[in-house]
């Protein structure tokens, strides 16, 4: 009986989150905003990637920075003079649609073309929590180990774009980036996988192109 009750509660939570996520997406679409959810472990390069996109993409970008304590990453984005909202999750290890719903009230959506949502740094908790974005980008670095993708299949199944980052140090950390690409394609055969080195600027243009194509396809 106890297990049945836990399953029912979990089901209700997910159902309520999905309802709010659909509402969030409708708000974005009514304002002509394309939402992107960035997921990755701590140190994978999420924040650095968003910084690069802010500097190199056409169009206006707003950012929601989610973290246990969000002021650090939010402060990095604010330096680029873009609208930023920090969401503190406290003990929670992921953002949810309810938190994002509140943040949308403080983003000037009428003046934004893209809304980038940086999720909390891990590959497990965010899996089932739709935020209302149009695209989910999962980023993983070679420094996490080349078995990281196969160990976390569910988050990669949910991805619309997968990025294998820091390939410039693959040899130094004894990682095979091609294995990571192959593992990603086994888990999600239709997804685009891009190998990048944000430090060297490798793969950035390809990422921008993938986001822009997904935006066009969503219209």
């Amino acid at each position: 009986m106890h297990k049945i009750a836990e399953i029912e509660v979990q089901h209700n939570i997910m159902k309520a989150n999905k309802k709010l996520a659909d509402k969030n997406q409708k708000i974005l679409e009514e304002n002509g905003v394309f939402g992107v959810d960035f997921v990755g472990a701590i140190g994978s390069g999420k924040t650095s990637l968003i910084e690069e996109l802010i500097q190199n993409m056409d169009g206006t970008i707003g950012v929601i920075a989610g973290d246990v304590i969000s002021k650090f990453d939010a402060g990095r984005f604010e330096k680029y003079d873009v609208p930023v909202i920090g969401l503190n999750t406290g003990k929670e290890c992921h953002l949810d649609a309810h938190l994002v719903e509140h943040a949308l009230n403080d983003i000037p959506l009428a003046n934004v073309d893209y809304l980038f949502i940086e999720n909390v740094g891990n590959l497990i908790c965010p899996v089932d929590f739709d935020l209302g974005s149009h695209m989910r980008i999962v980023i993983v670095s070679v420094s996490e180990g080349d078995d990281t993708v196969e160990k976390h299949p569910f988050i990669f199944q949910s991805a619309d774009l997968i990025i294998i980052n820091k390939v410039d140090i693959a040899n130094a950390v004894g990682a095979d980036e091609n294995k990571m690409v192959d593992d990603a394609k086994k888990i999600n055969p239709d997804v685009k996988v891009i190998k990048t080195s944000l430090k060297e600027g490798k793969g950035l243009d390809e990422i921008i192109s993938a986001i822009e194509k997904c935006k066009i396809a969503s219209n």
Side-chain angles (χ1 to χ4, degrees), residues 50-63:
I50 293 173
E51 287 180 307
E52 290 294 333
L53 295 175
I54 290 171
Q55 295 176 83
N56 290 281
M57 285 188 71
D58 294 329
T60 305
I61 294 170
V63 184

Side-chain angles (χ1 to χ4, degrees), residues 18 77 175 218:
K18 177 59 178 169
F77 300 135
S218 72

